[in-house]
Amino acid sequence: MDVRTMTHAVPDRPDLWSSEHWRLNYFENRAAEHAETAGEDYAELISVSDGEPGCVATITYRVVTAV
């Protein structure tokens, strides 16, 4: 597996921050969309930094690599 990093402007939507589950789900979906756009298969979320509403988050995730 390879690691990828992306940035994402985090919207100021209170419903996204109602629980840690929704917050992580939001960032997993952004990473999966980013991987798909690049023609890669998303594997898992590794980390999110500066993921607060109104900030630009750095999202690190893994993609499946062909052997």
Side-chain angles (χ1 to χ4, degrees), residues 16-62:
L16 294 176
W17 318 119
S18 61
S19 73
E20 185 66 8
H21 168 78
W22 288 115
R23 179 183 170 282
L24 289 176
N25 186 58
Y26 175 80
F27 288 116
E28 286 176 341
N29 287 336
R30 299 298 75 75
E33 290 168 0
H34 192 259
E36 183 178 315
T37 299
E40 298 178 311
D41 293 323
Y42 172 77
E44 67 181 330
L45 183 68
I46 297 173
S47 68
V48 177
S49 61
D50 297 324
E52 299 299 317
C55 294
V56 176
T58 300
I59 304 169
T60 305
Y61 62 96
R62 286 190 179 91

Side-chain angles (χ1 to χ4, degrees), residues 1 3 13:
M1 289 191 209
V3 174
R13 290 182 38 203

